[in-house]
């Protein structure tokens, strides 16, 4: 069974750093893209970026380029999303999702999703 | 960036009724369009990919159609568990974009 299990909820202060994780199981982790999607409270889905764990090829949405860093450790089948300096506007639910078999250069549909990690940034 | 517009924003229907949701792209996305369902407190679920293909395990009451710039998700007869928010997403052009969603609620 394919599963993506994300790390738990976080409460942080503005300016702090954070790294959240997404562990894949039940499939070949290195053979599928993993994307990250933001959902701000009461709002829609925003695609942030994507990584191919097999070779760490990483792409960012222009809206998130320079704001976050996506990485992966294929030895433990885990992808990461990190911030160096959080802002209150980063408060959101963050989902990781697996790209389908038919992605093209990181442009994917997403067939399996993690349960989400709620990040709250407040002073 | 391709902009996806969904209509209506909210659709109020009764169980058993037919739901028709629209997604329009700012330029052609060929058939590279997907639909997702999201229930409160849950992650999105892939329903339809490549405009008209049902994802694994998706009931036959869900169907997708369209190509180019105009797409439709149809739920033939609403079940109680179908009341949710539905998003379209394109993967024709970089970057991937989502529509703003259509909420299907109980009338």
């Amino acid at each position: 069974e394919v599963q993506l299990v994300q790390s738990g909820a976080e409460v942080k202060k503005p300016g702090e750093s954070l790294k959240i994780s997404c562990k894949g199981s039940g499939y070949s982790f290195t053979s599928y893209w993993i994307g990250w999607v933001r959902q701000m409270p009461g709002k829609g889905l925003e695609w942030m970026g994507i990584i191919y764990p097999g070779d760490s090829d990483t792409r960012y949405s222009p809206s998130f380029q320079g704001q976050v860093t996506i990485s992966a450790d294929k030895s433990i089948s885990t992808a990461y999303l990190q911030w160096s300096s959080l802002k209150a506007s980063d408060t959101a639910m963050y989902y990781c999702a697996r790209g389908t078999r038919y992605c093209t250069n990181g442009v994917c549909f997403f067939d399996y999703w993690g349960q989400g990690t709620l990040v709250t940034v407040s002073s | 960036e391709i902009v996806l517009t969904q209509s209506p924003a909210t659709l109020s229907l009764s169980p058993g009724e037919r739901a028709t949701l629209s997604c329009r792209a700012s330029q052609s996305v060929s058939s590279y369009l997907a639909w997702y369902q999201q229930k409160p407190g849950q992650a999105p679920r892939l329903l339809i990919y490549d405009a008209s293909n049902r994802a694994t395990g998706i009931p036959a009451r869900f169907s997708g159609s369209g190509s180019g710039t105009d797409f439709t998700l149809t739920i033939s007869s609403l079940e109680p568990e179908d009341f949710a928010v539905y998003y379209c997403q394109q993967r024709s052009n970089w970057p991937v974009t989502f529509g703003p969603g259509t909420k299907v609620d109980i009338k």
Side-chain angles (χ1 to χ4, degrees), chain A residues 77-120:
Chain A
S77 300
T78 301
Y80 300 97
L81 176 66
Q82 68 180 88
W83 297 259
S84 59
S85 181
L86 286 160
K87 302 184 282 287
S89 57
D90 292 318
T91 295
M93 182 71 81
Y94 293 88
Y95 294 102
C96 64
R98 190 187 81 163
T100 67
R101 186 181 302 273
Y102 304 108
C103 294
T104 305
N105 294 325
V107 188
C108 302
F109 297 137
F110 301 99
D111 55 2
Y112 289 91
W113 293 65
Q115 83 276 20
T117 296
L118 180 62
V119 174
T120 303

Side-chain angles (χ1 to χ4, degrees), chain A residues 8-60:
Chain A
E10 301 275 0
V11 179
K12 292 288 191 179
K13 290 182 166 46
E16 292 186 331
S17 62
L18 176 64
K19 191 173 189 177
I20 62 175
S21 66
C22 168
K23 183 173 176 61
S25 62
Y27 73 100
S28 174
F29 185 74
T30 54
S31 300
Y32 290 81
W33 293 84
I34 292 280
W36 287 93
V37 175
R38 182 175 79 174
Q39 188 167 39
M40 299 178 78
K43 302 299 184 184
L45 305 173
E46 299 173 273
W47 182 80
M48 302 176 71
I50 197 163
I51 188 165
Y52 190 75
D55 61 7
S56 294
D57 184 4
T58 308
R59 319 286 177 93
Y60 294 94

